[in-house]
Amino acid sequence: MENNMAMEYPMFCYQCEQTAGGKGCTKMGVCGKTPEVAALQDLLIFQIKGISCYAKEIVEKGENVDKDIVSFVENCLFTTLTNVNFDADVHVELLRRSQEIKEQLRSKVGAIKNTTEHATYNLSSTKAEMLQDAKKAGIMYDQDLDPDIRSLRQTIVYGLKGISAYGHQARALGYYDDQVDNFYIRALEATTDDNLSVEELIRWTMRTGDMSVAVMKKLDEANTEVYSNPTPHKVNVKMKKGPFIIVSGHDLKDLEMLLQQTEGKGINIYTHGEMLPSHGYPGLKKYKHLVGNFGGAWQDQQKEFDSIPGCILMTTNCLMRPRETYKDRIFTTNVVGWD
């Protein structure tokens, strides 16, 4: 029954360049996202907007929101980014955690001026009910909303999702920017405020761009301080004899952990896709079993992974539907996942 209810949900996802016909996916995501997952992602964004309505009160007092809450909001934004997580059960668990956090903040903050449904909504108990509730969280809801307001709100949210990808990686290395952390909260709350004009939302959109630059600066600081400044480096692109693991994505911390755990085991490590630049960092290329790069861009993974006998580790936002030929050998880390 739940699957049928999910299919009734009016899916409309247009957050990436892969969308069907360049206009949006309405039946099934080109990336493999189901209407059910799309609905749960809409509701998850709806929930962290509600969390932000309460957390904003803390920011307005000049205080920093608890970093565990910021990390949760950041991870939720990142989870809903393209090619990150396709597992409905993971989204249900995140939704349940979001309600716990919302209730904690309600108790701490008390009554607030923002009485939007994002703030007042309480999560339903079952997945089937959540999928029904998600109808009011998607972009198809509230057809009377000014299209310019809708567009600017969506632009801000998608900007925040991009920021979260960099922020997530920096935080994994112990680095963060309080300004960016507070902006997650303030900007998400702003997208719920019906009193904001087009001009005011344009200013919020511009600030989102500023925060994108700030978070990239913080990630660069994290990567270079932990792994030293990268330098041009020749990379082997031929497979060597012996067992191997291919690692794809962007997260240098995940790569480092894999290198540490496989050192001295006779296992070769190859990068794939966006992980290629890691070969330039002294702190990573010191590992002799980081022997080269396999394949090309992330979108070629299904074809490239089709016949290889080794294991694959996917980090960050590079996952596509695994083929039957390798689905028993592909693994994911952190917020990344397939059901």
Side-chain angles (χ1 to χ4, degrees):
M1 184 177 74
E2 289 183 356
N3 284 336
N4 290 334
M5 294 173 71
M7 292 302 291
E8 292 171 5
Y9 176 78
M11 179 181 184
F12 186 71
C13 181
Y14 69 109
Q15 72 173 356
C16 78
E17 77 281 3
Q18 301 176 50
T19 56
K23 297 179 180 180
C25 296
T26 57
K27 295 181 180 179
M28 185 82 174
V30 171
C31 65
K33 183 192 297 183
T34 63
E36 178 182 64
V37 169
L40 294 171
Q41 290 187 348
D42 285 344
L43 191 59
L44 186 57
I45 294 298
F46 189 86
Q47 271 287 77
I48 62 171
K49 286 181 180 181
I51 286 171
S52 297
C53 291
Y54 294 95
K56 183 198 173 189
E57 300 296 318
I58 298 172
V59 175
E60 292 287 297
K61 293 178 182 177
E63 302 172 8
N64 290 326
V65 178
D66 187 296
K67 292 301 181 187
D68 286 341
I69 293 177
V70 174
S71 180
F72 177 81
V73 169
E74 184 175 72
N75 282 345
C76 287
L77 286 164
F78 192 21
T79 297
T80 64
L81 199 64
T82 308
N83 295 100
V84 176
N85 197 294
F86 301 82
D87 190 336
D89 290 342
V90 168
H91 289 82
V92 169
E93 288 307 308
L94 287 172
L95 280 162
R96 287 178 175 145
R97 177 60 184 147
S98 74
Q99 184 63 30
E100 293 173 1
I101 291 172
K102 183 188 278 188
E103 290 172 3
Q104 289 170 11
L105 288 170
R106 278 177 182 160
S107 298
K108 180 176 181 178
V109 173
I112 59 175
K113 294 178 182 177
N114 188 332
T115 57
T116 177
E117 192 172 3
H118 299 87
T120 60
Y121 169 74
N122 289 313
L123 185 71
S124 296
S125 58
T126 68
K127 183 168 76 171
E129 291 170 323
M130 293 177 198
L131 289 166
Q132 286 298 314
D133 291 349
K135 293 178 180 179
K136 65 186 171 194
I139 192 169
M140 307 301 287
Y141 179 69
D142 193 3
Q143 294 296 314
D144 295 330
L145 185 64
D146 181 283
D148 291 334
I149 296 288
R150 186 195 306 279
S151 176
L152 287 163
R153 286 178 175 179
Q154 291 294 314
T155 301
I156 292 166
V157 170
Y158 287 146
L160 291 172
K161 290 185 180 190
I163 291 170
S164 75
Y166 296 105
H168 170 90
Q169 293 169 57
R171 203 177 304 273
L173 294 172
Y175 289 73
Y176 56 84
D177 185 329
D178 285 332
Q179 176 187 216
V180 173
D181 287 356
N182 288 336
F183 187 78
Y184 286 135
I185 303 302
R186 295 172 62 239
L188 282 168
E189 192 276 339
T191 65
T192 74
D193 189 345
D194 292 330
N195 295 315
L196 294 182
S197 66
V198 167
E199 290 73 21
E200 288 170 312
L201 283 171
I202 288 173
R203 285 196 286 273
W204 275 106
T205 306
M206 298 298 289
R207 289 179 203 143
T208 304
D210 292 339
M211 290 303 107
S212 298
V213 174
V215 77
M216 284 191 282
K217 181 179 179 181
K218 181 57 64 174
L219 178 58
D220 180 64
E221 176 189 341
N223 286 340
T224 55
E225 289 196 3
V226 174
Y227 303 114
S228 299
N229 287 305
T231 57
H233 186 68
K234 284 187 177 182
V235 179
N236 168 55
V237 294
K238 295 182 179 179
M239 299 293 282
K240 294 187 175 184
K241 188 175 181 179
F244 64 90
I245 299 172
I246 293 170
V247 56
S248 189
H250 311 82
D251 200 312
L252 300 187
K253 178 64 175 177
D254 283 344
L255 174 60
E256 180 188 34
M257 292 168 67
L258 180 66
L259 289 167
Q260 290 171 343
Q261 293 167 26
T262 52
E263 191 170 21
K265 302 270 196 308
I267 301 169
N268 291 324
I269 305 299
Y270 296 88
T271 57
H272 176 270
E274 279 88 340
M275 196 61 84
L276 174 62
S278 63
H279 291 273
Y281 288 93
L284 295 171
K285 68 181 182 183
K286 69 181 182 181
Y287 291 94
K288 302 303 181 185
H289 60 304
L290 179 60
V291 296
N293 185 78
F294 171 83
W298 66 271
Q299 62 264 30
D300 298 329
Q301 64 187 260
Q302 291 169 317
K303 176 178 63 178
E304 292 176 344
F305 296 164
D306 197 31
S307 60
I308 59 168
C311 291
I312 306 140
L313 176 67
M314 302 300 294
T315 75
T316 66
N317 48 311
C318 289
L319 179 64
M320 297 176 71
R321 178 196 294 272
R323 288 185 176 177
E324 292 293 322
T325 52
Y326 64 86
K327 74 174 188 179
D328 60 332
R329 300 191 309 282
I330 189 166
F331 301 86
T332 62
T333 63
N334 219 301
V335 300
V336 185
W338 194 274
D339 57 18

